[in-house]
Amino acid sequence: MDRITLPERPEWRAKAAELGFTFADMHGEPYWDESSAYAFTLEEIEGRIEDPCTELHAMCREAVATVLADEGLMERLGLPRLRWEFIRDSWEAGEPELYGRFDLAYDGKGPAKLLEYNADTPTSLYESASFQWLWYEEQVAARVLPEGSDQFNRIHEALVERFAEMFAPDTDLHFAAMAGAPEDYATVETMAWAAREAGMGAHYTDLEKIGISDQGQFTDAEDRVIGTLFKLYPWEDLFADEFSAHLASAQCRFIEPPWKALLSNKAILPVLWQMYPGHPNLLPAFFADDTKGLADAAHLMLAGHVTKPIFSREGASVTITAQGRVLERATNRDYDRHPMIVQGYAPLPVMGGMRPVIGAWVVGETCVGMGVREDRALITQDLSRFKPHFIEG
Amino acid sequence: MKRSRAVSLGILGAAAFGLAACQQEEQTDAAAFPDEASCVAAAAQSGWFTREDCAATFAEAQALHAETAPRYESRELCEQEHGAGNCGGDTVAGSGGGGSIFMPLLAGYLIGQALGGGRAMAQPVVPKAGGGYATPTGGTQLSRLNSTGKMGTAAFAKGPTTVGQPPMTRAAVASRGGFGGSAATRSVGG
């Protein structure tokens, strides 16, 4: 793993604007940054990222079965008891998963360590699957990158194949995101493109415009019944919304399926550590009130520990502590009221003054691609930059 | 090779004119105006609509507003959806079911080029609470008037008739918008 300075494509900003990538700059800072890129070897990609993440996903599926069979663990996940049956039914019915993103700390030396699994509402799909791919193709054409190099990015093709496995041809799928967040919309529209390529009918609706029909089915902004809903909106939030009472009876299939609520939850991290203690890709993790577990594992967390709420997005309410001192505390504390977990601290490598996090994409049950985000801060938050990567030839 | 052979590249962007929708519907030239005079003022440069189109579509938008604008059982409920001061009594005499009925005022109209020729299409727009405008069904939304761009032809589909129908109650209004209330941050992704 290396961070290499490369010439930028001269016209990339115009290209981004033309393609609708309107958030290439965000909050007055560059978000897409191709002034340098991360280089990996093929052995590294396959042995350290791809195969471990496919295995991690399989372990996560085992963890879902374990949690569903254990009421005490279900309690730990902080999801309303009224919806447990709905979640369990989706697992027992074998409702297939579409996608997810593992966030990994990887320094090019030891094994990649799982920080968390964005198993329900991962974003940055457009920049990973599409704009990053275009960057690679154009840099090869410009001879900036050599023939014989590659990129770990089968995300788009894998999504097309997965949609075709999940649904009969011409199935109508609805895609919903909250209005007014272009980065969320880009993920949803990228997904909708893949669905259309797989032969599905893809329709967009703002999440807030979803209604309920006289027969108790969900309807879109134009009153069409929603048979299948891809919702870029967390399950724990859906469960707290007014319409949650209709979820089980609306005859609607959801993507991601409800059981993904167990995996996007940080409470799954201590469960995984209980099931697979010492696994090379896991960090020790405990519920914050598990004082005995934490005391027994003190020797495993000498580098420090990280406190995270079970529900959180984009690093909110995360605190890193080492030697009894707070190293960094996220400024966004929106999730402070939730139960916490404690995870061993795996410092991110520092490369060119930045700290990269690997986002490894899982489609279906297989790891199929990746993206890198980097941040100056210890906690990767919403001001991080997206960096392209390539595999050396 | 560990990458896709081909990838679809474009995203429309949520900031596009009107509501960027994914469905593959036909796009047409469209413009939004607060009144007929603004339309007439823009007709010379437009190339696809005339002063006569402005007059005809404005009359049609007024008629569609009377026929299809949402109707509410109270002014309070109407203003909750369309903003304070933006509602009035039913404009169609004698249509009420005995009680009083309130509807949003006509804020302007959309004019659209008919695909394959023919008369320009029209739709009324009404104010939305919190700013912006929408067609009577709410299916197409605009951030501002006096704007032009491409728009899906579905924006010009006539909404259901509301005149003479019982007005919406609070329960009926609440049957939309039951999701989205719990998002902790503006962007929900991770």
Side-chain angles (χ1 to χ4, degrees), chain A residues 227-242:
Chain A
T228 301
L229 179 65
F230 174 95
K231 39 102 234 127
L232 193 70
Y233 185 75
W235 271 114
E236 66 267 22
D237 289 344
L238 279 174
F239 291 148
D241 277 341
E242 200 181 313

Side-chain angles (χ1 to χ4, degrees), chain A residues 373-388:
Chain A
R373 281 178 310 151
E374 61 175 25
D375 203 319
R376 279 195 190 83
L378 304 186
I379 302 171
T380 308
Q381 298 178 62
D382 58 354
L383 282 178
S384 62
R385 293 177 182 188
F386 192 96
K387 305 290 294 187

